[in-house]
Amino acid sequence: MDIDDVLCLNAPYGGYDAAAALAAERPTKRSAAVATSANIWDSLFEAAACGHLRRINDEFCPLYVLTTSWWQALGEKRLREALARGGLQWVVDSLHPDAATPKIRGRTNRRAEIQAWLAAHPEFANRFVVIDDELSGTGLDLELQSEHGPFIVLCKESRGLREAEYLRLRAACLLRMEAGVA
């Protein structure tokens, strides 16, 4: 699962804002802590998108694996904290122990990252569903015409997870469940 343009629309805040807010709260030897507006955490994730994902979560109890630039911007501990503060503790609680796709040096191809994660976890080869956006989901458009196509849901940039994507995501989860591998 990606975060930008799926759950976070970067309006008004995004991942770098979350990283800055968390960093500002931790004083260094040279500076005092800076108070962070609680508003960032209330506005970081788009409510309707989170509601749709919550419906998927409640119905299918998925394990989440993150494939997002937020991993590099925040690191695992602060990313988990940002998700929790933004009201997504239930996502944090459902992260797979190997919670992020590997970052492939010199490549920004999301498809390659997902394939590398699946190669390390072959038990999920027929159990995954991808939710990403059309902009950062590089290479996933190639998969749409393959056997994996029904299990890839791409959100429109700046719109996030809407009803149409929720319905495709739910259909993908149902297909996996009906096949007995969800």
Side-chain angles (χ1 to χ4, degrees), residues 16-92:
Y16 291 109
D17 299 303
L22 290 171
E25 291 176 2
R26 291 178 175 75
T28 64
K29 291 180 182 176
R30 290 187 256 164
S31 67
V34 176
T36 302
S37 167
N39 188 42
I40 186 174
W41 306 116
D42 296 337
S43 307
L44 187 59
F45 301 111
E46 205 273 328
C50 293
H52 292 310
L53 186 63
R54 183 62 191 238
R55 290 165 59 195
I56 293 294
N57 187 79
D58 292 349
E59 184 173 358
F60 298 101
C61 301
L63 287 175
Y64 297 96
V65 176
L66 302 176
T67 178
T68 176
S69 60
W70 287 41
W71 200 263
Q72 292 95 333
L74 286 102
E76 181 176 0
K77 183 178 178 184
R78 291 190 313 162
L79 175 54
R80 288 174 182 264
E81 186 175 350
L83 290 169
R85 286 189 179 201
L88 298 174
Q89 181 63 49
W90 48 273
V91 170
V92 175

Side-chain angles (χ1 to χ4, degrees), residues 92-173:
V92 175
D93 293 342
S94 297
L95 285 170
H96 184 277
D98 189 4
T101 57
K103 301 308 161 213
I104 300 172
R105 188 177 206 127
R107 298 200 53 192
T108 58
N109 187 307
R110 194 61 55 83
R111 177 178 176 226
E113 292 176 6
I114 293 168
Q115 288 175 331
W117 191 92
L118 288 169
H121 302 279
E123 67 275 20
F124 288 94
N126 293 313
R127 296 173 56 194
F128 73 93
V129 174
V130 175
I131 180 83
D132 207 326
D133 66 275
E134 295 173 339
L135 181 64
S136 63
T138 53
L140 292 174
D141 54 336
L142 301 173
E143 291 287 335
L144 291 175
Q145 303 307 316
S146 77
E147 66 196 68
H148 300 299
F151 308 106
I152 297 171
V153 177
L154 298 178
C155 299
K156 300 232 180 277
E157 183 182 5
S158 301
R159 291 197 28 89
L161 180 57
R162 295 286 179 228
E163 184 72 17
E165 290 82 14
Y166 159 76
L167 292 172
R168 288 198 305 276
L169 187 58
R170 185 174 184 277
C173 292

